[in-house]
Amino acid sequence: MTKKYRYTLISFIGLTMAMIANVRSVPMIAATGWQQLVYMAFASLCFALPLCLIAGEFGTTFPGNGGPQLWTKNGLGHKWGFVVAWLSWAQMFPGLIMASSTLGPLIGQALGQQALITSHSFALICILIATWVITLCSLKWNVARLSGNYGVWIGVYIPAAMLLILGIAATLKTGINQHSYLGVFSWHKLCGNIFNLKSLSYYGAIVFTFAGLEMTSVYIPQLKDANHNYLRGIAISLGFLIFLNTLNGLMTSNAIPQGQIQLANVSQPIAIYCHILHLPSWLANIFGLCVAIGIILQIASWVNGPCHTITQVAREGLLPAKWHFHQTNQYDISKPLLWTQIVILTLFALIYGCARNVNAIFLTLTNATSVIYMTVYAIMALALIKLRYRQPHLKRPFRIGGQNQRNGWAWLTCGALWLAVITVFIAIIVTNSLMNDLLVLSIACIMIAIPLIICHYHNPQWLQQVEDDLSQY
């Protein structure tokens, strides 16, 4: 019998970094100046750490396929498991457009064309071409395999190293720039102006940099000494992520003059660093190319990955059989679902294309994604508390607060996560215009209402129709 592979602490840390590290959030973090230190600390303690603990308990208790959908189904029932599955899929639409909106500036930087870097029309064209080409290729080939380690190295590790090394060198040369987003340090800038509406508008995006941490729990069954190494691995990974994001954020804040930051152009600080250090401009071109390739590979993963969640709930009879989302090709991808996705993605892209203020629509898409994702996490936390009381003696290999029957630590953990979710919602509402709030809430409400409506009109015959259809293959 082949010995089952067991992840060590070091390999688990590497897996965690590969799943959630990225450089796209650096401009968002940099825009808050010194306040990013407070925001990052709060996001880590009240969001990232509780999320990992909740995922750790759920992941070891229910190690089967399904992730958050499976966990919520066991805690709150099939209805809310379906809602979580749907929202995990739905957040992809604003999220993918937000991520792919950086392609235009990055490709423009790689080509050395300043006009393309700032062209909103070119950014829209890149979004449409990337999403449509990847979707059409997914109908014939397994393009998601291309992401894997290549996407991580090309799109994350190399760009992060360039940002870090060049940023440190540029900061050492110039010192603190008084006219930058950072400016000279003061305690008022750090703590006294936290609720400034301008900087608070980026708070949700900073919290969102840790979204997806719950997926590291899928490796708990293969982790050596999981009860100890999971917490150690998460703590070390979080520490490294906080250090990397904050350091890059601070240096970027110090390099970009006030009022000139481009949220969708992560290559902007590299271009500034090259100018400060008198380095050849082609370094910025390489940086832009690396991140662009990484984003394209990640889009391939996003286009294909969430399909599996919807296909699973379709096969459980929770979606109308006539939609044919339960039918898949040889790569386990549903063609009808891919066509549905690309139509919705195109609509979101056109919303982005109609915007005059690129930074504003970028924030709107980020906020809409955050609201949908935060709703999923709030439901997950509720499912954990409900399950604690419904099945107190259920075997939990990893249990928040230890192996006892008290639920105080579980309430504290879920309460911290709910607090983070509420603060994100409040920050989004109070920092945006009424029109932006209505757009964000409309997107979120529509995405949340759809699964509830489907559940209301659920027909038990859907499952029988699905089973009959699948039996013919």
Side-chain angles (χ1 to χ4, degrees):
M1 179 180 291
T2 303
K3 185 178 181 181
K4 190 176 182 179
Y5 180 77
R6 305 286 286 181
Y7 290 102
T8 64
L9 175 62
I10 300 300
S11 60
F12 177 71
I13 293 172
L15 286 169
T16 303
M17 293 300 300
M19 293 181 72
I20 63 174
N22 67 75
V23 297
R24 294 193 310 270
S25 303
V26 170
M28 288 280 195
I29 297 171
T32 62
W34 288 106
Q35 291 173 8
Q36 65 188 267
L37 297 175
V38 177
Y39 290 153
M40 192 66 71
F42 182 84
S44 303
L45 294 176
C46 290
F47 177 72
L49 184 58
L51 179 60
C52 291
L53 294 175
I54 292 171
E57 178 167 325
F58 266 139
T60 54
T61 306
F62 306 106
N65 295 327
Q69 180 261 343
L70 174 65
W71 308 338
T72 307
K73 181 175 67 175
N74 281 278
L76 298 176
H78 285 274
K79 174 182 177 180
W80 290 105
F82 170 56
V83 170
V84 165
W86 181 278
L87 294 182
S88 298
W89 176 64
Q91 61 82 26
M92 173 192 66
F93 300 120
L96 192 146
I97 299 302
M98 177 264 294
S100 59
S101 66
T102 61
L103 277 177
L106 289 169
I107 294 175
Q109 182 67 63
L111 298 175
Q113 298 293 323
Q114 184 63 36
L116 296 181
I117 295 176
T118 58
S119 174
H120 189 46
S121 299
F122 181 67
L124 175 61
I125 292 172
C126 290
I127 293 172
L128 293 174
I129 291 177
T131 52
W132 271 93
V133 169
I134 290 173
T135 297
L136 293 175
C137 290
S138 298
L139 296 173
K140 296 292 184 180
W141 303 287
N142 190 352
V143 297
R145 288 184 179 179
L146 294 175
S147 53
N149 293 331
Y150 298 106
V152 171
W153 276 98
I154 297 174
V156 177
Y157 293 151
I158 294 176
M162 292 180 68
L163 270 177
L164 190 63
I165 295 172
L166 295 181
I168 291 174
T171 303
L172 290 175
K173 182 176 180 180
T174 63
I176 299 297
N177 181 3
Q178 297 183 7
H179 303 290
S180 66
Y181 279 83
L182 193 64
V184 178
F185 174 81
S186 69
W187 287 107
H188 176 73
K189 289 182 178 179
L190 180 65
C191 301
N193 205 25
I194 295 177
F195 299 106
N196 176 272
L197 295 184
K198 186 175 182 180
S199 63
L200 193 61
S201 62
Y202 303 105
Y203 164 72
I206 292 177
V207 173
F208 193 67
T209 59
F210 297 104
L213 268 171
E214 75 279 2
M215 298 311 298
T216 61
S217 63
V218 301
Y219 297 104
I220 290 178
Q222 291 82 45
L223 180 62
K224 292 182 178 179
D225 193 11
N227 285 342
H228 295 92
N229 282 339
Y230 179 73
L231 289 178
R232 292 172 184 170
I234 288 298
I236 295 173
S237 299
L238 281 179
F240 186 74
L241 285 169
I242 294 167
F243 172 79
L244 186 64
N245 286 332
T246 304
L247 190 59
N248 275 325
L250 289 172
M251 292 183 297
T252 301
S253 294
N254 189 55
I256 301 178
Q258 276 282 352
Q260 297 184 24
I261 197 166
Q262 300 172 16
L263 298 180
N265 183 12
V266 71
S267 63
Q268 184 187 20
I270 291 291
I272 295 175
Y273 295 154
C274 289
H275 177 74
I276 293 173
L277 299 171
H278 303 291
L279 295 174
S281 59
W282 54 260
L283 285 175
N285 299 348
I286 292 177
F287 177 87
L289 181 62
C290 285
V291 180
I293 292 174
I295 289 175
I296 291 173
L297 294 176
Q298 288 178 352
I299 291 174
S301 178
W302 282 25
V303 166
N304 290 272
C307 285
H308 300 294
T309 300
I310 297 299
T311 298
Q312 180 61 36
V313 296
R315 288 178 173 175
E316 293 177 3
L318 298 174
L319 287 171
K322 63 182 179 181
W323 291 0
H324 300 292
F325 287 173
H326 57 279
Q327 295 178 346
T328 58
N329 59 15
Q330 64 268 36
Y331 304 116
D332 199 28
I333 295 295
S334 170
K335 290 184 178 181
L337 186 54
L338 281 182
W339 286 117
T340 303
Q341 280 186 178
I342 192 58
V343 171
I344 300 175
L345 284 170
T346 301
L347 293 176
F348 272 92
L350 293 177
I351 293 174
Y352 173 84
C354 293
R356 295 181 179 179
N357 188 327
V358 177
N359 279 357
I361 194 63
F362 190 87
L363 270 176
T364 299
L365 291 172
T366 302
N367 290 336
T369 309
S370 298
V371 169
I372 297 172
Y373 231 141
M374 293 299 148
T375 302
V376 170
Y377 292 144
I379 296 173
M380 277 176 49
L382 180 62
L384 184 135
I385 293 296
K386 183 84 176 283
L387 192 65
R388 279 290 189 96
Y389 289 96
R390 285 180 54 194
Q391 301 185 46
H393 302 292
L394 182 68
K395 183 179 179 181
R396 297 172 170 86
F398 171 80
R399 191 179 192 277
I400 300 173
Q403 298 297 331
N404 56 65
Q405 298 305 315
R406 296 182 180 180
N407 295 318
W409 282 105
W411 275 105
L412 180 63
T413 301
C414 293
L417 183 61
W418 287 327
L419 176 63
V421 169
I422 292 171
T423 56
V424 168
F425 288 168
I426 293 175
I428 290 173
I429 292 173
V430 303
T431 59
N432 289 287
S433 66
L434 178 60
M435 184 59 66
N436 283 338
D437 281 340
L438 290 176
L439 182 58
V440 169
L441 292 176
S442 297
I443 294 172
C445 288
I446 290 172
M447 294 302 179
I448 295 172
I450 290 175
L452 294 176
I453 294 173
I454 293 175
C455 287
H456 179 74
Y457 291 100
H458 176 259
N459 189 336
Q461 293 183 353
W462 293 348
L463 178 58
Q464 185 61 49
Q465 293 171 0
V466 168
E467 292 176 346
D468 293 342
D469 194 13
L470 292 176
S471 65
Q472 299 175 10
Y473 290 88

